[in-house]
Amino acid sequence: MNDLKNIDHQALLAHLRSSLGNERNSLASFLRYLGEVDSRRLYAEEGQPSLFAFCTNALTLSEAESFARITAARLIRRFPVIHDHLRSGALSLTSLRLISAHLTEENADHIFANVVGRSSRDIEKMVATLANKRAIAQSASDTTAKIGISFPRSLFHDAQSASGSHEPPVLCHKPDRTRYVAAEHVEIRFVANEQLLAKIDRIKGLALSKNIGSRLEDVFDHVLESYLKHHDPARRAAKNRQSKREGPESKKSNSGRYIAQKIKDEVYKRDGGQCTFKASTGSRCPARVGLEFDHCRPVALGGNAANADDVRLLCRAHNRLAAERSFGAATVAAAIARQSQKAKNIGFR
Ligand SMILES: [Zn+2]
């Protein structure tokens, strides 16, 4: 590095700009590769439960770096033009994170035309204005679906947003501590005692539900869903209607999937509350949240849960990988799509 002292000012600045260009090129390439790894779910093959875990554990990126890169990689797969904007420096990872929640296939061209080349601070201001509009729209009427979400016309010149809606004069603050920080994203704040924190940590540690993640919002979402499932009359009625439609045969056909609580407790203890998947390198998946009880031999192939040896703990990614190895990726993808549609039909999320 000492030779830098011998470079004149102009050459030094040229090297600096050149390095920045190389860095942007490398980043854009990295994101394309990362998107493809995500698409193939190669992180599971590498013994990691998620792309985020792969980035932090295997690639040793920080959590913030991982989050920004995963967001960008997934957006590039949807909107390939982002790749060129990142290479040229017209868009940054920060800018992408800011607009990510607002991008749709319909408005992408319009939004890119208005954010490319703008500073992240300018974009942050635009997004905050949009979030305020959304908050007011939602508090003003229950018929939010009828109120189109659009960026302020003064900033985005969106002809399509000129649906007669007036610019709201002020942000509507609610007396409780919830506020919109972006469209469809709300910040909720409250002070809790240590007992509540202990309960949250306990639920995170158990993490035996299929849809529970490690984030605090995942835990709350899971607990609230569980409560509504058991106590909301509308949910119970919908479930009863579904059961009647399916008839007693559905229970019988699912009987092989049933795992007794006693077996679950034994398996959880034996596996140490950790995913049991091992990569080809021998390293064990570190996942301790979002775990699922998996039949070692698929039920469709004659497996059951007669004793603990027939069951193991797997994280969601490795449960899916195991299913794909037994039945093929296309079959598993189709089954997941069917389950998702079924859940929507009976009023669950
Ligand atoms: Zn795993």
Side-chain angles (χ1 to χ4, degrees):
M1 293 297 278
N2 287 338
D3 60 347
L4 286 183
K5 296 202 180 306
N6 300 322
I7 299 177
D8 65 43
H9 293 347
Q10 291 306 315
L12 177 60
L13 289 172
H15 280 303
L16 185 74
R17 290 197 174 92
S18 170
S19 297
L20 181 61
N22 292 339
E23 182 184 308
R24 286 172 175 158
N25 274 331
S26 297
L27 175 65
S29 297
F30 173 84
L31 294 173
R32 285 189 65 201
Y33 293 133
L34 187 65
E36 189 59 25
V37 167
D38 186 29
S39 172
R40 300 185 193 185
R41 292 198 310 285
L42 284 184
Y43 52 82
E45 300 275 2
E46 293 294 305
Q48 297 297 331
S50 65
L51 187 62
F52 186 78
F54 175 73
C55 285
T56 53
N57 296 333
L59 302 184
T60 64
L61 292 167
S62 72
E63 292 190 352
E65 287 170 335
S66 301
F67 180 75
R69 279 157 182 72
I70 290 170
T71 299
R74 288 177 175 165
L75 283 176
I76 286 175
R77 287 183 63 80
R78 286 174 62 200
F79 310 106
V81 68
I82 291 173
H83 180 262
D84 292 337
H85 290 322
L86 284 170
R87 281 186 63 191
S88 69
L91 268 181
S92 67
L93 290 181
T94 304
S95 304
L96 271 182
R97 181 178 57 75
L98 289 169
I99 63 173
S100 62
H102 308 284
L103 275 172
T104 67
E105 272 65 19
E106 290 73 35
N107 69 13
D109 289 344
H110 187 74
I111 288 184
F112 288 138
N114 286 282
V115 299
V116 162
R118 305 283 289 265
S119 72
S120 54
R121 178 166 289 186
D122 280 348
I123 297 171
E124 193 169 23
K125 206 183 291 179
M126 295 174 198
V127 170
T129 307
L130 170 66
N132 291 354
K133 284 183 70 177
R134 175 62 175 255
I136 290 171
Q138 292 206 340
S139 61
S141 169
D142 289 332
T143 57
T144 50
K146 294 177 184 170
I147 300 174
I149 299 304
S150 60
F151 284 89
R153 269 170 281 155
S154 58
L155 294 170
F156 288 89
H157 313 292
D158 182 357
Q160 292 213 327
S161 74
S163 57
S165 62
H166 299 290
E167 293 290 330
V170 290
L171 173 61
C172 182
H173 286 292
K174 292 187 174 181
D176 55 15
R177 281 168 284 184
T178 62
R179 71 181 183 96
Y180 274 85
V181 291
E184 299 177 0
H185 289 83
V186 185
E187 182 185 74
I188 303 172
R189 300 178 66 189
F190 60 89
V191 176
N193 58 32
E194 285 184 329
Q195 285 81 3
L196 181 65
L197 184 61
K199 287 176 190 170
I200 292 169
D201 287 342
R202 179 61 181 152
I203 292 171
K204 276 186 178 177
L206 292 172
L208 293 177
S209 168
K210 289 186 177 180
N211 294 318
I212 191 166
S214 59
R215 301 175 309 170
L216 195 55
E217 56 264 44
D218 294 331
V219 173
F220 275 107
D221 188 46
H222 174 73
V223 172
L224 293 173
E225 274 295 323
S226 179
Y227 181 89
L228 290 170
K229 188 176 172 183
H230 292 103
H231 299 287
D232 182 353
R235 298 275 185 109
R236 286 209 305 269
K239 195 175 179 184
N240 288 338
R241 284 197 297 276
Q242 179 71 13
S243 297
K244 275 183 188 169
R245 274 201 298 275
E246 290 182 347
E249 283 302 309
S250 66
K251 276 188 182 171
K252 203 184 289 178
S253 65
N254 281 335
S255 60
R257 302 186 186 283
Y258 176 74
I259 304 172
Q261 190 58 50
K262 188 180 159 204
I263 301 286
K264 286 183 178 179
D265 290 345
E266 196 177 335
V267 170
Y268 187 82
K269 192 174 174 188
R270 182 200 66 204
D271 294 345
Q274 183 180 344
C275 176
T276 57
F277 180 88
K278 283 190 178 173
S280 55
T281 56
S283 64
R284 182 175 174 182
C285 174
R288 290 184 172 277
V289 295
L291 301 179
E292 302 174 352
F293 290 103
D294 176 60
H295 293 77
C296 299
R297 188 178 179 205
V299 175
L301 300 179
N304 59 46
N307 59 63
D309 290 340
D310 301 319
V311 182
R312 62 189 168 185
L313 279 180
L314 287 180
C315 70
R316 200 171 205 189
H318 288 127
N319 199 350
R320 177 166 178 170
L321 183 63
E324 287 176 345
R325 285 177 176 176
S326 295
F327 303 107
T331 305
V332 173
I336 290 172
R338 277 198 304 276
Q339 278 181 358
S340 173
Q341 190 56 45
K342 192 171 157 188
K344 275 185 196 162
N345 290 343
I346 62 174
F348 294 97
R349 52 181 188 143

